[in-house]
Amino acid sequence: MKCLIVQPIHKGGLDLLRQAGVEPGLCPSPDAETVSTMIMGCDAAITRDAGLPAAPILASDRLKVIVVHGAGHDAVDKRAAHEKGVLVCNTPGANAQSVSELALGLMLAAARLVPAADRAVRSGERGFREAHTFHELSGKTAFVVGWGATGAGLGRMLHAALGMRVLVFSPRSADTGSFQRAGTLAEGLAQADVVSLHTPMREETRGMIGKIAFAAMKPGAILVNTARAGLIDETALAEALASGVVAAAALDVYSPEAPSGPLG
């Protein structure tokens, strides 16, 4: 059995595949043209945020399963997979602790202006500390949007380590433990000093943080996104940053155009 590795994975993962009798084939690039060529003769494919578009799925001759090593599977063309009879799987919770810690780190970096301070020191700039405002997170309100393994893990960290009040917005989660629910997205945004996104990409969540959401947001809030790029209207975010509605945004995910677009 042969498995195409669309994006690099840890050597330990490759060893596990070989031990199970699966021959991993490493793809030199995740672009559709390269994957379409490499996928021939493969029974399975493992991918990450690059997903798997329709072209290589439809070009495959033996493909039976596509696995995303992570929770997000929106970058896999499931319509094409269904047409070819290919099973699409994900691994929810497998990297939840890592992403929860990343979200915490991004919050702290945004609140303390760590990246900007680093650039200032390296460039020899003086007076950075006196010229900027920094924020402590202790005792502040965190609004966690999406209460899966990652969002819940972050909420527990923020409460235990920083004594933050944690508000949750997650209509599909039955239990948020001792943490308070916000009745609506706008209700939570109005109270939040920090907003962290952990919800999947669905039709109802696409662009959920846009002009209407920013208008409802508490001025000076910090926005963190470690979930899906499409949850945020990036043009609206750029406007919110320029106006001071959002004090800082820490984005682990963003559109391909973001570095050269309004957020660049």
Side-chain angles (χ1 to χ4, degrees), residues 159-184:
H159 178 69
L162 296 170
M164 295 189 77
R165 172 190 177 221
V166 177
L167 273 177
V168 181
F169 180 70
S170 186
R172 299 192 181 202
S173 296
D175 183 14
T176 59
S178 60
F179 297 110
Q180 180 184 349
R181 284 182 180 272
T184 65

Side-chain angles (χ1 to χ4, degrees), residues 5 53 59 63 70 109 129 140 162 167 212 225:
I5 310 299
L63 192 65
R129 181 182 299 175
K140 300 290 179 61
L162 296 170
L167 273 177
I212 294 174
N225 186 12

Side-chain angles (χ1 to χ4, degrees), residues 232-239 241 249 251 253-255 257-264:
I232 296 176
D233 179 332
E234 292 177 347
T235 300
L237 172 57
E239 294 172 357
L241 285 165
L251 310 177
V253 287
Y254 44 82
S255 72
E257 300 79 23
S260 59
L263 292 176

Side-chain angles (χ1 to χ4, degrees), residues 141-143 165 167 180 182 186-193 216-218:
T141 296
F143 184 37
R165 172 190 177 221
L167 273 177
Q180 180 184 349
E187 179 186 318
L189 292 172
Q191 302 176 62
D193 299 291
M217 192 173 288
K218 181 179 179 180

Side-chain angles (χ1 to χ4, degrees), residues 63-246:
L63 192 65
K64 299 180 181 66
V65 61
I66 300 165
V67 180
V68 179
H69 58 95
H73 50 79
D74 48 281
V76 175
D77 193 313
K78 290 177 282 295
R79 187 183 298 274
H82 177 74
E83 182 178 331
K84 289 282 287 190
V86 176
L87 181 66
V88 178
C89 306
N90 65 342
T91 54
N95 63 345
Q97 180 69 19
S98 177
V99 180
S100 297
E101 291 184 12
L102 173 61
L104 174 58
L106 290 175
M107 282 183 194
L108 290 168
R112 304 298 302 196
L113 303 183
V114 173
D118 178 74
R119 289 193 298 270
V121 170
R122 292 176 185 276
S123 66
E125 177 185 337
R126 295 185 178 276
F128 181 87
R129 181 182 299 175
E130 292 75 21
H132 294 81
T133 301
F134 307 91
H135 302 277
E136 293 182 352
L137 298 182
S138 178
K140 300 290 179 61
T141 296
F143 184 37
V144 180
V145 181
W147 199 250
T150 303
L154 174 67
R156 289 190 291 268
M157 287 181 196
L158 296 176
H159 178 69
L162 296 170
M164 295 189 77
R165 172 190 177 221
V166 177
L167 273 177
V168 181
F169 180 70
S170 186
R172 299 192 181 202
S173 296
D175 183 14
T176 59
S178 60
F179 297 110
Q180 180 184 349
R181 284 182 180 272
T184 65
L185 180 67
E187 179 186 318
L189 292 172
Q191 302 176 62
D193 299 291
V194 182
V195 179
S196 191
L197 306 181
H198 301 277
T199 189
M201 176 65 76
R202 303 187 181 99
E203 282 308 309
E204 64 267 28
T205 61
R206 187 178 303 277
M208 67 187 300
I209 306 298
K211 287 188 175 183
I212 294 174
F214 288 122
M217 192 173 288
K218 181 179 179 180
I222 293 170
L223 176 63
V224 176
N225 186 12
T226 56
R228 308 288 178 269
L231 299 175
I232 296 176
D233 179 332
E234 292 177 347
T235 300
L237 172 57
E239 294 172 357
L241 285 165
S243 67
V245 169
V246 174

